[in-house]
Amino acid sequence: MANVQTPDALLVKNYVAGDESALATLINRHQSKIYGFIFSKIADRDLTDDIFQDTFIKVIKTLKSNSYNEEGKFLPWVMRIAHNLIIDHFRKNKKMPMFRETEEFSIFSIMSDGSHTIENQMITEQVEKDLKKLIEELPEDQKQVLVMRIYQDLSFKEISEITGVSINTALGRMRYALMNLRKVIDKHQIILTN
Amino acid sequence: MAKIYSKETLVTPSMKPKKETVSFLLNYSKALSFLKVGNLKLEVIAN
């Protein structure tokens, strides 16, 4: 039997009409994606929880006050709220968001070639380091789209809605990011193979 | 030919907020209502 899932838009409608359980379903459905997105920028569990909480407080207030008018785009809307709160957080702390490796999280630690030999591990670590350096060299707008698409698995539609640019612009930035990466790799004859 | 370094998708591993955070949000939602007074919308939190 097919697994039929209630659409977000219907859950939002039910919630606005007073069905509190619809909110629990929405949170349960999207919590990993939203929490993961915030954590990828903040890299601190407690702060991520705070921003996740603030994000949903805004969501609840907007829905309960009948100010929501983006039916059918619930997740991108919530992600945009989270994105804005992350920017506010960094503004408050006067720091630019950076992907710092901690004991708890490394964006590159999830890249694996499936084997466990010491040599392969060393090569993989070097490739990851090189690639990380190359990505860091990209212009901010291109880097942002590349990281959202590749590491956070967001669609171009979601990226365009979060960053406030058109899908075509997001696609263009991804294309230029990849072209620039290839150019630098060719120019410096960097070997990124394992 | 470009080489792919990974076999699996590069998605951040599944992470979830604390149970207390979700519980707070659900309770906050139940307690919150809006009262319309003229053009104003006032937040009301039930105790």
Side-chain angles (χ1 to χ4, degrees), chain A residues 15 20 23-24 27 31-32 35 39 45-46 49 52-53 56-57 60-61 64-65 67 105 110-113 127 150-153 192-194, chain B residues 1-3 5-22 24-34 41 43:
Chain A
Y15 176 63
E20 290 289 334
L23 178 70
I27 292 176
Q31 60 182 353
S32 292
Y35 193 85
F39 188 78
R45 283 261 185 191
D46 291 332
D49 265 284
F52 181 89
Q53 185 173 297
F56 270 94
I57 284 176
I60 290 165
K61 280 185 180 175
K64 288 230 167 188
S65 63
S67 307
F105 176 76
I110 49 177
M111 291 174 76
S112 163
D113 66 354
V127 167
I150 305 295
Y151 295 109
Q152 289 157 11
D153 199 31
L192 289 175
T193 54
N194 194 349
Chain B
M1 184 76 184
K3 187 160 183 171
Y5 308 114
S6 61
K7 288 182 179 169
E8 292 171 10
T9 176
L10 298 177
V11 183
T12 310
S14 178
M15 299 178 77
K16 287 180 181 175
K18 288 177 196 159
K19 279 182 186 169
E20 296 89 330
T21 306
V22 176
F24 167 82
L25 287 168
L26 296 177
N27 288 328
Y28 173 79
S29 169
K30 282 176 193 160
L32 180 73
S33 60
F34 279 83
K41 276 180 189 168
E43 276 181 45

Side-chain angles (χ1 to χ4, degrees), chain A residues 120-167:
Chain A
N120 273 342
Q121 270 179 21
M122 287 173 72
I123 295 170
T124 305
E125 277 169 22
Q126 192 57 50
V127 167
E128 287 166 0
K129 265 187 204 164
D130 290 346
L131 191 57
K132 192 178 178 185
K133 275 185 206 158
L134 294 177
I135 292 171
E136 286 301 322
E137 293 301 315
L138 288 173
E140 192 56 43
D141 52 353
Q142 293 172 22
K143 185 168 72 180
Q144 188 183 34
V145 172
L146 187 136
V147 169
M148 282 181 170
R149 180 72 195 105
I150 305 295
Y151 295 109
Q152 289 157 11
D153 199 31
L154 296 178
S155 68
F156 281 105
K157 189 166 181 283
E158 288 167 334
I159 294 169
S160 75
E161 280 159 356
I162 291 165
T163 55
V165 299
S166 69
I167 292 178

Side-chain angles (χ1 to χ4, degrees), chain A residues 24-163:
Chain A
T25 308
L26 283 166
I27 292 176
N28 192 42
R29 184 178 293 172
H30 299 300
Q31 60 182 353
S32 292
K33 213 161 196 175
I34 297 162
Y35 193 85
F37 170 68
I38 300 167
F39 188 78
S40 72
K41 305 276 183 198
I42 302 286
D44 179 298
R45 283 261 185 191
D46 291 332
L47 273 173
T48 301
D49 265 284
D50 286 350
I51 293 177
F52 181 89
Q53 185 173 297
D54 289 347
T55 301
F56 270 94
I57 284 176
K58 274 189 188 270
V59 168
I60 290 165
K61 280 185 180 175
T62 307
L63 293 179
K64 288 230 167 188
S65 63
N66 283 318
S67 307
Y68 178 70
N69 56 6
E70 296 185 60
E71 257 185 67
K73 299 180 193 171
F74 178 75
L75 181 61
W77 173 59
V78 181
M79 294 286 252
R80 202 162 57 241
I81 293 173
H83 178 76
N84 290 338
L85 288 172
I86 291 165
I87 290 172
D88 288 350
H89 163 77
F90 283 112
R91 273 193 194 136
K92 252 187 271 170
N93 291 281
K94 293 183 179 170
K95 271 196 273 177
M96 287 299 288
M98 284 182 70
F99 293 99
R100 287 203 185 281
E101 294 204 348
T102 64
E103 281 182 21
E104 198 172 8
F105 176 76
S106 163
I107 198 160
F108 289 95
S109 65
I110 49 177
M111 291 174 76
S112 163
D113 66 354
S115 68
H116 299 289
T117 66
I118 300 279
E119 191 191 2
N120 273 342
Q121 270 179 21
M122 287 173 72
I123 295 170
T124 305
E125 277 169 22
Q126 192 57 50
V127 167
E128 287 166 0
K129 265 187 204 164
D130 290 346
L131 191 57
K132 192 178 178 185
K133 275 185 206 158
L134 294 177
I135 292 171
E136 286 301 322
E137 293 301 315
L138 288 173
E140 192 56 43
D141 52 353
Q142 293 172 22
K143 185 168 72 180
Q144 188 183 34
V145 172
L146 187 136
V147 169
M148 282 181 170
R149 180 72 195 105
I150 305 295
Y151 295 109
Q152 289 157 11
D153 199 31
L154 296 178
S155 68
F156 281 105
K157 189 166 181 283
E158 288 167 334
I159 294 169
S160 75
E161 280 159 356
I162 291 165
T163 55

Side-chain angles (χ1 to χ4, degrees), chain A residues 6-23:
Chain A
T6 313
D8 287 352
L10 184 57
L11 287 168
V12 168
K13 198 176 162 193
N14 291 346
Y15 176 63
V16 171
D19 178 7
E20 290 289 334
S21 68
L23 178 70

